[in-house]
Amino acid sequence: MTKINTSLHSSRRKSRKAHFSAPSSVRRTIMSAPLSKELRDKHNVRSIPIRKDDEITIVRGTNKGRAGKVTSVYRLKYVIHVERVVREKSNGQSVPLGIHPSKVQITKLKGDKDRDNILERIAKGRAEKAERTKA
């Protein structure tokens, strides 16, 4: 069996190196989060890179079921910080908990011109593919 995507490596060592030394632009796409059922049906898109001010619900881990707004996207650590999802330190100070974007679900998108273009482009490609397979 041949490799499907020749630009990616199947070696564990090289894949890990590519992941952890990825530039910020690549980390953005890696840090994509799935959309909720309603948004998925509306936009015909499964997941999209997460950004600040998106409203999300946590679907995995100890904070499962908690909802909130994304306060920061920490690309260096591959985590996002959500409002009111914090941990108390021993001195009483609260620290935001880092959550991986794959463990959340976007419930409300922060829309802007560029984001609308992305959603439109993906949906158009999906529609064309469906048309081709039908014919």
Side-chain angles (χ1 to χ4, degrees), residues 26-81:
V26 175
R27 284 176 186 240
R28 177 180 166 272
T29 52
I30 292 171
M31 292 178 73
S32 290
L35 298 178
S36 66
K37 270 273 198 287
E38 300 81 49
L39 287 174
R40 209 185 308 168
D41 294 338
K42 183 182 172 189
H43 299 292
N44 195 17
V45 174
R46 189 170 187 84
S47 68
I48 194 164
I50 202 154
R51 66 164 284 181
K52 190 178 170 179
D53 295 330
D54 278 345
E55 286 180 30
I56 59 107
T57 306
I58 301 169
V59 292
R60 289 284 180 275
T62 52
N63 293 300
K64 182 179 183 175
R66 292 182 66 182
K69 194 180 269 191
V70 177
T71 53
S72 72
V73 179
Y74 205 147
R75 287 189 192 168
L76 189 70
K77 290 186 175 179
Y78 282 111
V79 295
I80 60 169
H81 295 139

Side-chain angles (χ1 to χ4, degrees), residues 8-133:
L8 296 174
H9 214 281
S10 54
S11 159
R12 175 177 162 84
R13 177 203 276 188
K14 291 182 182 178
S15 296
R16 283 178 58 83
K17 186 179 194 313
H19 180 80
F20 293 110
S21 62
S24 183
S25 56
V26 175
R27 284 176 186 240
R28 177 180 166 272
T29 52
I30 292 171
M31 292 178 73
S32 290
L35 298 178
S36 66
K37 270 273 198 287
E38 300 81 49
L39 287 174
R40 209 185 308 168
D41 294 338
K42 183 182 172 189
H43 299 292
N44 195 17
V45 174
R46 189 170 187 84
S47 68
I48 194 164
I50 202 154
R51 66 164 284 181
K52 190 178 170 179
D53 295 330
D54 278 345
E55 286 180 30
I56 59 107
T57 306
I58 301 169
V59 292
R60 289 284 180 275
T62 52
N63 293 300
K64 182 179 183 175
R66 292 182 66 182
K69 194 180 269 191
V70 177
T71 53
S72 72
V73 179
Y74 205 147
R75 287 189 192 168
L76 189 70
K77 290 186 175 179
Y78 282 111
V79 295
I80 60 169
H81 295 139
V82 184
E83 66 180 7
R84 296 188 306 277
V85 179
V86 292
R87 183 171 188 266
E88 291 290 315
K89 281 172 53 169
S90 58
N91 65 3
Q93 198 178 359
S94 64
V95 180
L97 274 178
I99 296 153
H100 196 273
S102 67
K103 306 302 175 199
V104 302
Q105 196 173 57
I106 301 173
T107 52
K108 190 169 178 222
L109 289 165
K110 164 90 163 70
D112 62 348
K113 191 174 74 235
D114 295 329
R115 213 147 194 225
D116 294 337
N117 288 344
I118 291 166
L119 287 167
E120 210 174 280
R121 190 177 68 224
I122 296 169
K124 193 173 91 180
R126 292 255 168 91
E128 283 177 15
K129 189 176 179 187
E131 220 172 84
R132 257 186 281 137
T133 53

